[in-house]
Amino acid sequence: MTSPSHGGDPEFESQRAHQILKEVLKKVKPDQAEVERLERFARFITDKIYSAAASLFIEIEVMLVGSAARGTWVSGEHDLDLFMLFEANQTRAELELNGIEIGKYVVKQDYSDEEFYCISYEKEYAEHPYIKAVFGDRMGGKYEVDIVPCFAVTDPAKIESAVDRTPFHNQYVLSKIAGLEDEVLLLKQFMRGIGVYGSELKRQGFSGYLTELLVIHYGSFLKVLKEAANSWKAGMRIDIESHGKYEGADPLIVIDPVDPMRNVAAALSIENFGRFIDGAHRFLESPSIDLFFPKEPAPVEIDEFDEIASRRGTRFIFIAFDRPPVVEDILYPQLRRSATGATELLHREGFRVYRDAVWAGRHHAVILLELEVATLPAIKKHWGPPVWKRRHAAKFRSKHEGATYGIHIKDGRYLVDIERKYTDAKDFLGANLRKGTLGKNLKNADFAIIEGKKIFDLLEEEDFKVFLRTYFEPRLTT
Amino acid sequence: MTSPSHGGDPEFESQRAHQILKEVLKKVKPDQAEVERLERFARFITDKIYSAAASLFIEIEVMLVGSAARGTWVSGEHDLDLFMLFEANQTRAELELNGIEIGKYVVKQDYSDEEFYCISYEKEYAEHPYIKAVFGDRMGGKYEVDIVPCFAVTDPAKIESAVDRTPFHNQYVLSKIAGLEDEVLLLKQFMRGIGVYGSELKRQGFSGYLTELLVIHYGSFLKVLKEAANSWKAGMRIDIESHGKYEGADPLIVIDPVDPMRNVAAALSIENFGRFIDGAHRFLESPSIDLFFPKEPAPVEIDEFDEIASRRGTRFIFIAFDRPPVVEDILYPQLRRSATGATELLHREGFRVYRDAVWAGRHHAVILLELEVATLPAIKKHWGPPVWKRRHAAKFRSKHEGATYGIHIKDGRYLVDIERKYTDAKDFLGANLRKGTLGKNLKNADFAIIEGKKIFDLLEEEDFKVFLRTYFEPRLTT
């Protein structure tokens, strides 16, 4: 199975592929001016952090990490991760307090006479609290900056938290990436195009670091695609440094070159793993630039939604929670767990969910349930003990003596038809949702259960309507 | 767990039980005149068979077997089993031909000057063909007679067919039953009252021989009930002669005293096993003569059916076959297998059957399906191969490229929503029933699929309407 193409003449397809990759690079690779501008800003902000630390009498080393440090950033994407390395002899609390103090000192300065200035900032929470800021230049350019504290450890085996690992990732990639940067750009853009880029828990896709490792391992964008298409399947294991000790059942396992216990692809869902293989097939069979730059999915408006729903003949029930004040990386896993909980609750009762999905906006966190069986009869079966369990049997019989339809015996057990309290899934959910498994922050959140197109009264956000489009029509066709 | 009663004062209940049993016996035990009359007829018909055999130069021995021979028959029930024992050196064909010849010779005689006369007869098929006749006397009495050929074997281990075993059963019971006949009558009537008497495959209950063995084993009607209530459970094993070699998973195993390889209770269903234990509980807790002589279930008429169906909120679908020309013992197992086949067919498609039942009348054989889920959406899931099966994946993608809602990936496999051909269980069954498992004689029988009360247009038989009553309200409450 090494034939690179099914679609037509392999030679021709391959030439076409190379042509397309050139076009893609033209769009995603920053030009000299953009690179210089970002480097200039990186130097500027690095100096600001050093001088802020000096003013506060705190000793740190500043390190630019991430794609900006490695030349693997896509044009227009100006995200800078600036890590402040603290000596490892400090406490975690000191590191966090000092880290925030320096960050605030940086963003609150007077930039009126400077080349760059701070537009906004906020305190965010990952492993440690850190400052996230947006800077601008006088030409309308914008820069997202994360100013993150971590411990300067000498050995990645001794890290205190995940962020401490980042400088090692940076060193590793820098030592291997020279000459492969363009390949990384192609892979990132391809993954973005087919919707699998980003390891945040909303997306569950490939991280930037993971794309870099894949290119380092296989050697080029096309080689990554060919390997994915020809030899990847669930359980695929890549161990560049041949030192892996990680044992897990993830769809893709890429052992971290700086940490044998860690799977870099741990956040990748089986769906996105599959989507990437599918995308690789499609590109190799029939190369197209559309895979890199797909059309934006059109929002689904109320009338179309109504029309689709009635064509499908299913019923749509939305559980709309008031959004709890947590970040997406915390919210999405809870929403998914809650969707599974609600589905199990419905299934235990005899309703049937066709498919589910979750979405979160500014004010709401929503579970979409598409129901295949949304109404049930007025009666349901209620099983009793085996007839030969004499005391239980007597109790059951006396309890159900007045049963409308008498007591049955089936497979040696008593069985009565009892009235179902809720014959409609919507009513049932309304009364029982809190009995199911709900994520921690959703347990006490207010919620409304909304059927069908009424959801448009509550949610007018464009992003929700786009979410509906991807629900109905996933981006798997070119 | 030896307390005989939960219902009230044990002493009092016990006295009441004995009082009730006396009343029952008064009703079911034939009086002297009825006994003499049956004995007189038995001698009459035995003589007729002997003289018929003599006229045809066939050598046999005639043996009256069954309840009439053992004094365990219920008043009004005048069934006589007359077995003709042939020497074992004959072929099976000879036995069958000669058996029928004698039978016909008996029933076709001129009885105009005799005390008894033949009203009707027919040829029936069990292990061998045999003559089944109805005789009458001049006082309006009626007698059902089976004239059955069998081989006279000396050892039950050497029998050729099941009927050859019957003479041994007869001898065994006769050697043990003296003084216990009334107890057998009570047990038979009790089982009849709660609907578990009769080992024919329509009923799947207790045979007459089985009731006799239970009384012989436990010693009395009440002891049978107490043991059933206190110590029976599925898998109960009784081996009177301690010689059993039968290994099966039947709910009740009673080793045949004349054949260690045979379970006398093999025909008993787990439902009827359970019903008997339940009935025993109920009688011991609160003795009542109603258990022996329940009210006849009232037929369910069309309006009540309609009312019940809409109260339950389920949908009733009847599969009405033209009745194939086979006896009930062949038809009922096929009907049950077919009902299971239809249910599985529906479940595989996503419909859901709440409960099913079968009934056969003169012209029709009917499967009742009560549906919990009778309609489904316009779409259903169609799973494709895992995305990493490259050739299958490519085939699947190209086949479903135009899919209305695109191709999804779930758990690493392709998935599309396709149109469901039949969204209604009735239409689906009509088109697919023959693809399911149907009994041999039903496979090619014409059938109609009829919904709800329309079945009353086809089936006007009282017995069907009574069947509906027992479907809705099984006789498990006194």
Side-chain angles (χ1 to χ4, degrees):
Chain A
M1 296 268 290
T2 50
S3 146
S5 165
H6 286 277
D9 173 37
E11 190 70 20
F12 175 77
E13 298 292 357
S14 172
Q15 281 182 16
R16 217 177 123 218
H18 283 97
Q19 189 53 42
I20 285 166
L21 299 189
K22 264 191 210 164
E23 283 175 52
V24 173
L25 266 188
K26 248 187 250 165
K27 293 181 179 223
V28 299
K29 192 177 175 174
D31 62 17
Q32 201 52 32
E34 190 179 0
V35 171
E36 278 170 14
R37 194 94 205 131
L38 193 73
E39 282 173 358
R40 197 176 171 83
F41 175 69
R43 279 194 303 276
F44 172 85
I45 194 77
T46 303
D47 289 348
K48 287 288 173 197
I49 297 169
Y50 271 123
S51 65
S55 307
L56 294 163
F57 306 104
I58 302 168
E59 209 162 297
I60 53 162
E61 200 184 318
V62 181
M63 188 189 273
L64 174 66
V65 297
S67 59
R70 302 165 195 163
T72 57
W73 53 281
V74 169
S75 172
E77 172 197 274
H78 300 161
D79 297 341
L80 280 89
D81 296 330
L82 285 143
F83 273 47
M84 301 179 287
L85 282 70
F86 287 73
E87 280 306 316
N89 58 10
Q90 305 190 34
T91 66
R92 194 177 168 117
E94 284 175 311
L95 171 136
E96 294 185 353
L97 285 170
N98 288 334
I100 286 294
E101 210 175 344
I102 299 172
K104 286 195 174 163
Y105 195 99
V106 170
V107 295
K108 288 183 165 178
Q109 283 178 35
D110 176 12
Y111 285 101
S112 43
D113 293 333
E114 309 257 12
E115 184 179 359
F116 304 95
Y117 63 99
C118 184
I119 297 172
S120 67
Y121 72 90
E122 54 195 333
K123 194 172 163 188
E124 287 265 331
Y125 295 86
E127 298 246 356
H128 306 299
Y130 66 97
I131 294 296
K132 187 178 202 71
V134 178
F135 276 74
D137 60 26
R138 308 297 166 188
M139 294 143 71
K142 273 189 188 168
Y143 307 87
E144 283 207 4
V145 188
D146 289 352
I147 304 172
V148 180
C150 75
F151 283 113
V153 291
T154 48
D155 180 345
K158 290 180 184 148
I159 61 161
E160 298 256 328
S161 77
V163 286
D164 302 345
R165 210 186 276 113
T166 306
F168 292 97
H169 290 167
N170 206 50
Q171 282 152 21
Y172 184 83
V173 174
L174 280 173
S175 75
K176 305 269 183 181
I177 204 69
L180 296 173
E181 293 88 346
D182 288 358
E183 305 296 324
V184 174
L185 292 185
L186 290 170
L187 187 56
K188 283 185 178 177
Q189 187 59 36
F190 180 75
M191 288 177 165
R192 198 167 270 163
I194 62 171
V196 302
Y197 185 68
S199 62
E200 64 276 15
L201 294 179
K202 173 181 176 178
R203 175 69 69 184
Q204 298 182 299
F206 292 77
S207 67
Y209 179 48
L210 180 52
T211 61
E212 291 165 335
L213 291 181
L214 290 174
V215 167
I216 288 167
H217 183 59
Y218 288 124
S220 77
F221 166 73
L222 273 178
K223 282 180 185 160
V224 173
L225 257 58
K226 282 178 190 171
E227 287 297 325
N230 292 327
S231 58
W232 281 18
K233 60 179 182 177
M236 176 68 199
R237 192 177 177 98
I238 293 169
D239 188 357
I240 304 175
E241 297 296 324
S242 309
H243 67 170
K245 284 180 190 144
Y246 176 88
E247 298 298 335
D250 307 330
L252 174 65
I253 295 167
V254 177
I255 301 296
D256 193 339
V258 310
D259 185 347
M261 297 298 291
R262 181 170 175 264
N263 175 18
V264 179
L268 181 67
S269 68
I270 177 91
E271 273 66 38
N272 284 331
F273 176 70
R275 274 190 199 108
F276 180 65
I277 295 173
D278 171 80
H281 283 172
R282 283 188 286 139
F283 182 77
L284 295 172
E285 279 164 23
S286 169
S288 157
I289 199 164
D290 295 346
L291 282 163
F292 294 83
F293 304 104
K295 267 184 243 118
E296 270 301 299
V300 173
E301 299 295 343
I302 184 163
D303 290 344
E304 188 186 356
F305 174 83
D306 206 32
E307 189 260 317
I308 291 175
S310 65
R311 184 142 42 92
R312 290 167 79 86
T314 50
R315 264 178 61 195
F316 285 83
I317 292 176
F318 298 90
I319 308 169
F321 294 93
D322 288 356
R323 177 171 175 155
V326 293
V327 297
E328 289 194 336
D329 264 7
I330 288 175
L331 182 57
Y332 268 87
Q334 290 192 19
L335 265 178
R336 292 202 186 95
R337 208 158 44 242
S338 305
T340 304
T343 298
E344 284 167 356
L345 197 69
L346 286 163
H347 283 196
R348 272 200 299 278
E349 190 65 15
F351 300 102
R352 210 184 299 137
V353 174
Y354 186 77
R355 190 178 289 155
D356 65 70
V358 300
W359 174 85
R362 233 185 233 283
H363 304 295
H364 298 97
V366 178
I367 295 171
L368 175 162
L369 299 169
E370 182 177 11
L371 276 98
E372 184 168 57
V373 176
T375 57
L376 288 169
I379 51 165
K380 68 175 180 178
K381 285 178 183 161
H382 178 62
W383 287 92
V387 290
W388 48 83
K389 298 270 182 190
R390 186 163 180 176
R391 285 182 204 288
H392 292 107
K395 224 169 133 184
F396 187 85
R397 271 208 321 281
S398 79
K399 188 175 168 192
H400 293 282
E401 225 160 11
T404 317
Y405 301 110
I407 301 175
H408 297 248
I409 287 176
K410 177 88 187 164
D411 295 336
R413 292 174 62 185
Y414 287 113
L415 175 62
V416 289
D417 300 323
I418 58 167
E419 232 166 86
R420 191 181 279 285
K421 203 164 171 195
Y422 300 99
T423 61
D424 194 283
K426 183 171 175 279
D427 303 335
F428 172 77
L429 263 189
N432 291 282
L433 182 63
R434 292 211 200 271
K435 290 179 197 155
T437 310
L438 286 181
K440 187 184 158 201
N441 297 98
L442 296 172
K443 267 205 181 78
N444 300 310
D446 280 338
F447 66 85
I449 303 213
I450 296 166
E451 176 149 8
K453 63 179 171 183
K454 287 204 194 85
I455 192 69
F456 286 82
D457 297 342
L458 184 75
L459 302 176
E460 301 183 330
E461 286 148 280
E462 198 73 358
D463 188 58
F464 174 71
K465 298 175 185 174
V466 166
F467 153 78
L468 287 179
R469 175 72 60 194
T470 56
Y471 176 81
F472 289 123
E473 297 166 38
R475 279 194 262 173
L476 288 181
T477 30
T478 45
Chain B
M1 296 264 291
T2 50
S3 147
S5 165
H6 285 277
D9 174 38
E11 190 70 21
F12 174 77
E13 298 291 356
S14 170
Q15 279 181 18
R16 214 174 127 221
H18 282 97
Q19 188 54 43
I20 285 166
L21 299 190
K22 263 192 209 163
E23 283 175 51
V24 174
L25 265 189
K26 248 188 251 166
K27 294 182 180 224
V28 298
K29 192 177 177 175
D31 62 17
Q32 200 51 33
E34 190 181 2
V35 170
E36 279 169 13
R37 195 94 205 131
L38 192 74
E39 284 174 354
R40 197 176 172 85
F41 175 71
R43 280 194 303 275
F44 173 86
I45 195 76
T46 303
D47 289 348
K48 286 291 173 195
I49 297 169
Y50 270 123
S51 64
S55 308
L56 294 164
F57 306 104
I58 302 169
E59 209 161 300
I60 52 160
E61 201 184 317
V62 180
M63 187 189 271
L64 175 64
V65 298
S67 59
R70 304 165 194 164
T72 57
W73 53 283
V74 168
S75 173
E77 169 196 276
H78 300 160
D79 297 342
L80 280 90
D81 296 330
L82 285 142
F83 272 48
M84 302 179 288
L85 283 70
F86 286 72
E87 281 306 317
N89 58 11
Q90 304 188 32
T91 65
R92 194 177 168 120
E94 284 175 311
L95 171 134
E96 293 187 351
L97 286 169
N98 289 334
I100 287 294
E101 212 176 342
I102 300 173
K104 284 196 174 162
Y105 194 100
V106 170
V107 295
K108 287 183 165 179
Q109 282 178 36
D110 176 12
Y111 285 101
S112 43
D113 292 334
E114 309 258 12
E115 186 179 357
F116 302 95
Y117 64 99
C118 183
I119 296 173
S120 67
Y121 72 90
E122 54 195 333
K123 195 171 163 188
E124 287 263 332
Y125 295 87
E127 298 247 359
H128 307 299
Y130 67 96
I131 295 295
K132 186 177 201 76
V134 179
F135 277 73
D137 61 24
R138 308 297 165 184
M139 295 143 70
K142 272 189 188 169
Y143 307 88
E144 282 206 6
V145 188
D146 289 353
I147 305 172
V148 179
C150 74
F151 283 112
V153 291
T154 48
D155 180 343
K158 290 179 184 150
I159 61 161
E160 297 257 327
S161 77
V163 286
D164 303 345
R165 210 186 276 114
T166 305
F168 293 97
H169 290 167
N170 206 50
Q171 283 153 21
Y172 184 84
V173 173
L174 280 172
S175 75
K176 305 270 185 180
I177 203 71
L180 296 172
E181 293 88 346
D182 289 358
E183 304 296 324
V184 174
L185 292 184
L186 290 170
L187 187 55
K188 283 186 178 178
Q189 188 58 38
F190 181 75
M191 287 176 166
R192 199 166 271 163
I194 62 171
V196 302
Y197 185 67
S199 61
E200 65 277 13
L201 293 180
K202 174 182 174 176
R203 175 69 68 184
Q204 299 182 299
F206 292 77
S207 68
Y209 179 49
L210 181 51
T211 61
E212 291 166 336
L213 292 181
L214 290 174
V215 167
I216 287 167
H217 183 59
Y218 289 125
S220 76
F221 167 74
L222 273 178
K223 282 179 185 161
V224 173
L225 257 58
K226 282 178 189 168
E227 286 298 324
N230 291 328
S231 58
W232 282 17
K233 60 180 182 176
M236 176 68 197
R237 192 178 177 97
I238 293 170
D239 188 357
I240 304 176
E241 296 297 324
S242 307
H243 68 170
K245 284 178 190 143
Y246 176 90
E247 296 298 335
D250 306 329
L252 174 65
I253 295 166
V254 178
I255 300 298
D256 193 338
V258 310
D259 185 347
M261 296 297 290
R262 183 171 173 262
N263 175 18
V264 180
L268 179 69
S269 69
I270 177 91
E271 272 66 39
N272 284 330
F273 176 72
R275 275 189 198 107
F276 180 66
I277 295 172
D278 171 80
H281 283 173
R282 282 187 287 138
F283 182 77
L284 295 172
E285 279 165 23
S286 169
S288 155
I289 199 164
D290 295 345
L291 282 164
F292 292 84
F293 304 104
K295 268 185 243 121
E296 269 302 298
V300 173
E301 301 294 344
I302 185 162
D303 290 344
E304 188 184 355
F305 174 83
D306 204 34
E307 189 260 316
I308 291 173
S310 64
R311 184 142 41 93
R312 290 167 80 84
T314 51
R315 264 178 62 193
F316 285 84
I317 292 177
F318 297 91
I319 308 170
F321 295 93
D322 288 356
R323 177 171 176 156
V326 293
V327 297
E328 289 193 336
D329 263 8
I330 288 175
L331 183 57
Y332 268 87
Q334 290 193 19
L335 265 177
R336 290 200 187 97
R337 209 158 43 242
S338 305
T340 305
T343 298
E344 284 167 357
L345 197 68
L346 287 163
H347 284 196
R348 273 199 299 277
E349 191 64 17
F351 300 103
R352 210 184 299 137
V353 174
Y354 186 77
R355 189 176 288 155
D356 64 73
V358 300
W359 174 86
R362 233 184 234 280
H363 305 296
H364 298 97
V366 178
I367 295 171
L368 175 162
L369 299 169
E370 182 178 10
L371 277 100
E372 184 168 57
V373 176
T375 56
L376 288 170
I379 50 164
K380 68 175 179 178
K381 285 177 183 163
H382 177 62
W383 288 91
V387 288
W388 47 83
K389 298 270 182 191
R390 186 161 179 179
R391 285 180 205 288
H392 293 107
K395 223 169 132 183
F396 186 86
R397 271 208 322 279
S398 79
K399 190 176 166 193
H400 292 282
E401 223 159 12
T404 317
Y405 301 111
I407 302 175
H408 298 247
I409 287 177
K410 178 86 186 166
D411 294 337
R413 291 174 62 187
Y414 286 112
L415 174 62
V416 287
D417 300 325
I418 58 168
E419 231 165 85
R420 191 180 279 284
K421 201 164 171 194
Y422 301 99
T423 61
D424 193 282
K426 184 171 176 278
D427 304 334
F428 172 76
L429 262 190
N432 291 284
L433 183 62
R434 291 208 201 275
K435 291 179 197 156
T437 310
L438 285 180
K440 188 184 158 202
N441 297 98
L442 296 173
K443 266 205 182 75
N444 300 309
D446 280 338
F447 67 85
I449 304 213
I450 296 165
E451 176 149 8
K453 64 179 169 181
K454 288 205 193 85
I455 192 69
F456 286 82
D457 297 342
L458 184 76
L459 301 176
E460 300 183 329
E461 287 149 277
E462 199 73 357
D463 189 57
F464 174 72
K465 297 176 185 171
V466 167
F467 153 78
L468 287 179
R469 176 72 60 194
T470 55
Y471 176 82
F472 288 124
E473 296 167 37
R475 279 194 261 171
L476 287 181
T477 30
T478 46

